[in-house]
Amino acid sequence: MTTPRDLVIVAMDMPSSGPVEHGDLSLALAGAEAVDLLGAGAIRVADGRLVPVPRPAGPPAGEQPADPLLAAAAAALVQEPPYEPLGDWLWRRGRGLARTYLDAMQENGLLVRENRRRWLVVRNSRLVLVDSAARRRAHHRRRADEPVLATLAAAIGVVGGDAAPASDEATASVLGAVADAVAELSAERQRRARRLEDAAADNVRRGY
């Protein structure tokens, strides 16, 4: 259950069509969490909504959740009907999620701050990946064109392979929602850029 971490590693290491926007990555990370929660049997998708699956009350004595961020994602699910639409989950859970994962990976020693300036894939980041088993596993998964990671990477502009079909309907629903949300965010950035360009042109015409 390491899809979000693998996605961050791939986004930082693989070529892309341009710097990966933190907003795009955050949305994709929320989708990656949903996929891993599906795999863990913690949720199901019904009518486009994320429905929590009842679990035994707490882990056995002495056992801790393997992934605190995934546990936090599970705790953040809407627990009452009519539950939360997939798209709403991506926007709510995804708010600032890229930074959360970067901070966690730095705390765990998977990322370090480099002392000199260097161009990185993730915009506004001076963090670099260290050589680790996690990094090698992520690249092995990406080279194998595993459908979930390949599709999420393609959605945020990472090149090196086409999106592959998901193996089940629920996962396909999550991946489709991620693609829609990233496209919506990109369109909004373009609208904002056009408004700024129009405002600048107006100022030039007015002699400002």
Side-chain angles (χ1 to χ4, degrees):
M1 304 304 170
T2 61
T3 304
R5 186 189 65 196
D6 291 349
L7 181 61
V8 173
I9 291 172
V10 167
M12 295 186 72
D13 259 356
M14 298 290 288
S16 71
S17 56
V20 175
E21 296 284 351
H22 272 217
D24 295 351
L25 181 57
S26 292
L27 289 169
L29 286 170
E33 288 183 334
V35 169
D36 280 359
L37 289 172
L38 282 168
I43 60 171
R44 60 187 177 89
V45 177
D47 297 325
R49 295 173 182 270
L50 294 182
V51 180
V53 174
R55 309 288 286 179
E63 182 178 332
Q64 298 297 323
D67 187 336
L69 286 175
L70 198 61
L77 293 164
V78 173
Q79 300 293 323
E80 301 293 335
Y83 304 110
E84 188 169 28
L86 253 171
D88 290 358
W89 159 264
L90 296 178
W91 290 104
R92 181 174 66 83
R93 175 63 183 167
R95 190 173 297 116
L97 197 57
R99 175 49 54 192
T100 298
Y101 270 90
L102 290 170
D103 289 345
M105 291 172 66
Q106 185 180 8
E107 183 178 341
N108 292 332
L110 298 176
L111 293 171
V112 294
R113 289 198 175 275
E114 81 169 355
N115 295 323
R116 59 187 178 82
R117 210 179 248 289
R118 177 183 173 190
W119 179 255
L120 297 175
V121 171
V122 179
R123 187 184 296 277
N124 297 330
S125 174
R126 285 189 178 180
L127 294 170
V128 294
L129 290 158
V130 302
D131 185 26
S132 65
R135 187 180 187 181
R136 291 189 290 274
R137 283 194 299 268
H139 280 286
H140 175 76
R141 187 178 177 187
R142 182 65 189 91
R143 285 193 298 269
D145 279 336
E146 189 275 328
V148 170
L149 190 58
T151 302
L152 290 171
I156 60 174
V158 174
V159 299
D162 296 327
S167 58
D168 63 272
E169 185 176 350
T171 300
S173 296
V174 172
L175 298 179
V178 170
D180 291 344
V182 170
E184 182 180 343
L185 183 57
S186 177
E188 177 59 27
R189 280 196 295 265
Q190 292 174 9
R191 285 192 292 269
R192 290 179 182 177
R194 283 196 295 269
R195 286 196 294 268
L196 289 173
E197 291 171 358
D198 291 344
D202 287 343
N203 288 337
V204 169
R205 284 194 294 269
R206 293 169 183 170
Y208 293 157

